[in-house]
Amino acid sequence: MKFLSSLGRMGLILVLVVFGISSCTLTSSFIDKLAEDGTHIIQIEAERFQFIPSQIRVRQGERVRLIFRSRDTTHGVAIPEYQIRKDIPPRGKGETIVEFTADKIGSFTYRCSHLCGAGHAMMRGIIVVEP
Amino acid sequence: MRYKTIICFVLIFILLHVSGGFAQQTTKQDTVLELMHRIEILTEEIEKAKLGDGIRSGRQESGIEERLRALEHQVATLELEQTSPTALSGYMDFHYNKSSPGDAILDFHRFVLLFSHEFSESIRFYSELEIEHAFIKSGQGEVELEQAFIDFHIDPNLAIRVGIVLVPMGIQNERHEGPAYFGVERHQVETVLIPTTWFDPGVGIFGRIVPGLDYKLYLLGSLDGTKFKANGIRGARSKGFKTNIDNPAIAGRLTYSGFKDLTVGTSLYYGDVGHKIDIDASITIYDIDFAYRYRFLELRGIWTQTFVGNADGLTAAIDAKDGPIARRMEGFDLEVAVHLLPQTHEWDLALFARYEEADTQAKLHSGFLPVRRFDRNWITLGASFLPHPDVVIKVDYQIGHNEDPTVEEGNSFNIGLGWWF
Ligand SMILES: [Cu+2]
């Protein structure tokens, strides 16, 4: 038991470190690119109870296209600043695309707008519009 | 009494469905479909114009594009209107449990309804009402108000929460619906050591410190130290029933989700627990946890320890019968799961294995001997099949081991059907 305990502790720390490092290097696999017409395209995944990524950066004046895809149940996306509110279909049933022009500098919330479970109220992200 | 409760549930359910503007939705949906159809026609026209021999002028093309934008806006507005500020959802778990030794049982474990209402974009209400084990009588079954709070959003980085809240500890306490975890029953570590589902009335703040780093900090009703036992603190939850708030507990959690597929978290809980019997006693619980998903692989784990201040004083004061209250309790689990279908598929099929240890007698005051039967571990092997993202069929086999050689922890075979809507 003692042995298993310390083994477990060590294992947990090891796993954290390994995946911490590997995930840092995987961060680049986010889709965050500029289309030919200059539209800033960002793909965001939704799952109980978070958006991945939960913070995005765009430049003022940019046309922004967000592509939302669910990893599990039906979620939603509301971006009050741009009067956007749409459902995100459940896994395997397509994606939701929202577009807006980032006209104002500042930090704005995007949140889940479809009651999706016990942690629904925590499901939020931030759009940072930089000059 | 129980009939009244059930009738109330049914009435609320029907009322919400009817008042949710169901009748209106059909016509709005038709309008949306019609608009979408028109958008398709216009898009085709644009494509033809682009490919064509230049019969259409650039001006005509931009005219079509303007009409297209206007139509898209109309659709967006309609979709916005369609959403009612009040929402109803729910989840249910129906289980077959066969433990050996023991008889097989069928258990409608959870029937949960969630209600939410948006007063405005910055003031929102959320609740979760649960019936456990279908039938409520003293000592069996439960009706619980697990969440009922209002959030006041000040800015994207700060919000205030008031009401009955889930204590922000571990992974499962705040993420506890059937399709969200592997295994028919919730994890042992997060049942024995972090007493999931753990909720209390309180007030708190939450938000973001830097990109990816979120915090929660709550002041909550305290645990009742007189209900502490040698096998843990589970019985000490007030469950929101006239909770003592003279000595509020403090609970905080940090989660970092800045990595693409990894979320790491840590939680801390501290509270005074001797108030009922006027002795100085306290509890501190912390945990470190992570959840990782990359393509077909999923890993999660938690490590937690509980420290009871003045455990010997508490043991003497409450005349603990099944053994002394430990100064330290601890445990961990590690779970690995492999998904057999791609993430984009509507179905999901996953196999998982989990190892868990929970010891509520890890360290005692000198002069006390630990009760070894409260030092246990479990290996669970199982599968989850989701024929729909919101319906899960689970099967697992759990092998229990008890550190007391005279106690047979027993194994269990479990089948579960869970759904969410
Ligand atoms: Cu959601």
Side-chain angles (χ1 to χ4, degrees):
Chain A
M1 182 72 187
K2 283 264 148 57
F3 168 72
L4 274 176
S5 258
S6 17
L7 195 74
R9 228 169 303 181
M10 268 158 41
L12 199 62
I13 292 165
L14 194 74
V15 165
L16 281 175
V17 170
V18 169
F19 286 104
I21 293 165
S22 64
S23 292
C24 282
T25 58
L26 289 171
T27 313
S28 56
S29 61
F30 279 124
I31 293 181
D32 186 340
K33 62 177 185 190
L34 287 182
E36 269 177 30
D37 64 355
T39 305
H40 192 159
I41 301 172
I42 302 173
Q43 189 181 318
I44 298 174
E45 298 201 349
E47 71 171 8
R48 292 185 181 95
F49 296 102
Q50 58 181 350
F51 286 110
I52 308 155
S54 65
Q55 184 138 342
I56 57 170
R57 281 172 190 280
V58 298
R59 296 215 166 268
Q60 188 186 18
E62 255 179 353
R63 185 77 191 153
V64 179
R65 182 182 302 149
L66 304 180
I67 305 170
F68 288 88
R69 199 177 287 165
S70 172
R71 289 182 176 185
D72 43 46
T73 188
T74 306
H75 293 280
V77 53
I79 313 175
E81 181 64 24
Y82 298 106
Q83 304 216 307
I84 287 167
R85 184 176 182 136
K86 278 186 170 185
D87 274 358
I88 303 166
R91 185 188 62 233
K93 304 231 171 177
E95 53 195 25
T96 294
I97 298 174
V98 302
E99 275 200 33
F100 58 90
T101 303
D103 43 13
K104 239 191 271 170
I105 293 172
S107 292
F108 310 105
T109 305
Y110 56 100
R111 64 169 183 92
C112 182
S113 56
H114 186 105
L115 185 54
C116 63
H120 164 70
M122 297 313 304
M123 198 167 159
R124 290 145 27 93
I126 295 176
I127 301 168
V128 181
V129 182
E130 294 169 329
Chain B
M1 187 59 207
R2 61 181 180 276
Y3 294 114
K4 279 186 191 162
T5 314
I6 292 165
I7 289 167
C8 276
F9 261 101
V10 172
L11 280 178
I12 291 168
F13 184 90
I14 292 166
L15 265 172
L16 275 164
H17 250 258
V18 173
S19 67
F22 187 74
Q24 281 179 13
Q25 260 180 22
T26 331
T27 51
K28 275 183 183 166
Q29 257 160 14
D30 289 345
T31 320
V32 171
L33 285 176
E34 167 62 22
L35 286 170
M36 287 200 162
H37 181 64
R38 277 156 64 186
I39 286 174
E40 262 172 41
I41 293 171
L42 281 171
T43 314
E44 270 172 31
E45 274 186 48
I46 290 176
E47 289 307 313
K48 271 186 212 155
K50 278 179 181 163
L51 292 170
D53 52 9
I55 295 169
R56 286 172 194 275
S57 68
R59 217 167 152 187
Q60 270 175 312
E61 194 184 306
S62 74
I64 294 174
E65 273 181 3
E66 256 169 46
R67 277 161 62 200
L68 188 63
R69 283 252 158 83
L71 277 174
E72 274 177 344
H73 183 76
Q74 264 180 285
V75 174
T77 317
L78 271 167
E79 283 182 356
L80 196 69
E81 280 174 7
Q82 244 183 331
T83 326
S84 153
T86 308
L88 166 74
S89 281
Y91 65 91
M92 282 106 216
D93 288 325
F94 186 47
H95 296 166
Y96 165 89
N97 308 99
K98 168 79 184 96
S99 35
S100 57
D103 292 330
I105 55 164
L106 267 186
D107 181 19
F108 204 108
H109 197 145
R110 294 183 187 91
F111 180 96
V112 185
L113 293 178
L114 298 99
F115 307 97
S116 70
H117 182 77
E118 296 176 7
F119 297 98
S120 70
E121 191 43 49
S122 54
I123 305 177
R124 300 200 288 270
F125 165 75
Y126 185 86
S127 71
E128 183 176 358
L129 187 59
E130 170 162 347
I131 295 180
E132 282 195 8
H133 308 295
F135 177 75
I136 294 107
K137 211 172 88 176
S138 62
Q140 71 176 40
E142 274 171 297
V143 176
E144 293 176 344
L145 187 59
E146 294 193 341
Q147 298 188 74
F149 59 78
I150 291 193
D151 282 347
F152 299 89
H153 292 268
I154 315 274
D155 76 52
N157 297 306
L158 177 67
I160 297 170
R161 178 166 288 179
V162 186
I164 292 183
V165 300
L166 294 172
V167 182
M169 297 292 293
I171 299 174
Q172 222 159 30
N173 199 48
E174 294 183 289
R175 199 173 179 272
H176 57 235
E177 43 279 270
Y181 57 88
F182 291 113
V184 174
E185 301 297 339
R186 291 172 185 167
H187 296 191
Q188 297 281 4
V189 168
E190 291 190 74
T191 302
V192 176
L193 295 163
I194 295 172
T196 300
T197 308
W198 187 9
F199 51 93
D200 252 317
V203 53
I205 53 170
F206 63 93
R208 181 162 294 179
I209 302 168
V210 292
L213 185 64
D214 293 324
Y215 72 93
K216 282 174 206 150
L217 190 63
Y218 298 163
L219 277 181
L220 300 163
S222 43
L223 290 165
D224 176 3
T226 63
K227 306 261 175 67
F228 281 14
K229 286 193 167 149
N231 68 348
I233 57 149
R234 198 171 166 79
R237 297 171 296 170
S238 82
K239 297 196 165 193
F241 182 76
K242 296 183 179 171
T243 310
N244 184 304
I245 198 71
D246 268 352
N247 303 280
I250 186 162
R253 179 164 169 83
L254 285 173
T255 46
Y256 185 69
S257 55
F259 309 124
K260 181 165 162 53
D261 299 292
L262 175 75
T263 302
V264 285
T266 180
S267 327
L268 182 69
Y269 179 96
Y270 174 81
D272 177 50
V273 295
H275 47 86
K276 256 199 177 167
I277 40 173
D278 258 337
I279 68 162
D280 223 5
S282 65
I283 187 164
T284 308
I285 310 172
Y286 80 86
D287 87 77
I288 304 167
D289 55 76
F290 77 94
Y292 176 80
R293 165 109 200 222
Y294 184 65
R295 291 170 189 265
F296 294 94
L297 178 71
E298 211 172 324
L299 288 164
R300 53 141 282 175
I302 183 166
W303 161 256
T304 180
Q305 282 190 316
T306 300
F307 299 91
V308 180
N310 195 15
D312 52 344
L314 205 53
T315 300
I318 63 174
D319 187 23
K321 287 198 173 59
D322 58 352
I325 292 154
R327 286 171 65 182
R328 193 177 82 222
M329 312 175 194
E330 62 192 21
F332 74 92
D333 73 34
L334 264 178
E335 179 182 79
V336 55
V338 179
H339 293 264
L340 304 178
L341 292 170
Q343 232 175 51
T344 46
H345 200 287
E346 188 190 337
W347 292 5
D348 191 13
L349 176 63
L351 305 175
F352 76 93
R354 182 169 69 239
Y355 179 77
E356 300 179 81
E357 273 187 25
D359 181 4
T360 58
Q361 294 277 296
K363 188 169 189 189
L364 285 106
H365 277 280
S366 55
F368 290 103
L369 279 175
V371 183
R372 294 200 63 198
R373 71 191 152 101
F374 297 132
D375 184 357
R376 298 169 288 170
N377 61 68
W378 301 265
I379 293 170
T380 313
L381 304 167
S384 283
F385 173 60
L386 288 90
H388 180 280
D390 294 327
V391 179
V392 62
I393 300 158
K394 300 178 178 182
V395 184
D396 70 47
Y397 191 73
Q398 190 165 72
I399 304 155
H401 172 76
N402 199 302
E403 290 299 312
D404 181 343
T406 65
V407 177
E408 192 190 341
E409 186 59 34
N411 304 337
S412 63
F413 173 66
N414 309 293
I415 305 174
L417 178 62
W419 60 94
W420 159 263
F421 60 85

